[in-house]
Amino acid sequence: MPIRNIAIGRPQEATHPDALKAALAEFIGTLIFVFAGEGSGMAFNKLTDNGAATPAGLVAAALAHAFALFVAVSVAANISGGHVNPAVTFGAFVGGNITLLRGILYWIAQCLGSAAACLLLKFSTNGMTTSAFALSSGVGVWNAVVFEIVMTFGLVYTVYATAVDPKKGNLGTIAPIAIGFILPTTDY
């Protein structure tokens, strides 16, 4: 993609109704994804009394995240493109599909949607804490950084191949399904 396709955008874009509607779609999509994904992890911890992760628990969490992302992308796709992830938004910016200003709106909306989902989870679970992620034993920080880079590339590439690339044709609902089901491979 030529660098000339990257655009900053005009200041008026930040208050344009279409951009605000798209940012709201990103907020709602991210809220749905985080609420369902994190909520499934919280439910697993509650059901197992904070027990160690089992293969069945990991599969259940992966599927919950996959379906949550599928729904989140599906509901936002026709309004904002259904990025739901700051890395996907960055990829769309670098690819020349959105302006920097619209990308910043999306990033703000995605962060606020994630925070709102965690607050809603805390309220709806009567104060349970949302779980934090940690490295598995034997996995170093640099191992995790490389893993995260490769898996994030897999997610962004899947989004591009199924939803963003203008040469893809009409993939309909297959795109959100593919995007949803690449997630379990990138998180576990």
Side-chain angles (χ1 to χ4, degrees), residues 18 48 56 60 67 72 81 86 88 92 100 106 117 130 140 149 159 188:
D18 287 343
T48 61
F67 285 118
V88 173
L100 178 61
Y106 285 13
T130 55
I149 290 169
V159 171
Y188 300 99

Side-chain angles (χ1 to χ4, degrees), residues 5-8 88-100 103 107 160:
N5 291 346
I6 295 177
I8 302 298
V88 173
T89 301
F90 182 72
F93 163 67
V94 170
N97 298 98
I98 62 170
T99 65
L100 178 61
W107 288 330
Y160 254 82

Side-chain angles (χ1 to χ4, degrees), residues 53-54 97 105 134 154 157 174 178:
T54 63
N97 298 98
L105 280 175
Y157 185 74
I174 297 297

Side-chain angles (χ1 to χ4, degrees), residues 9 37 50 76 83 87 93 111 131 185:
N50 291 323
H83 298 177
F93 163 67
C111 290
S131 58
T185 65

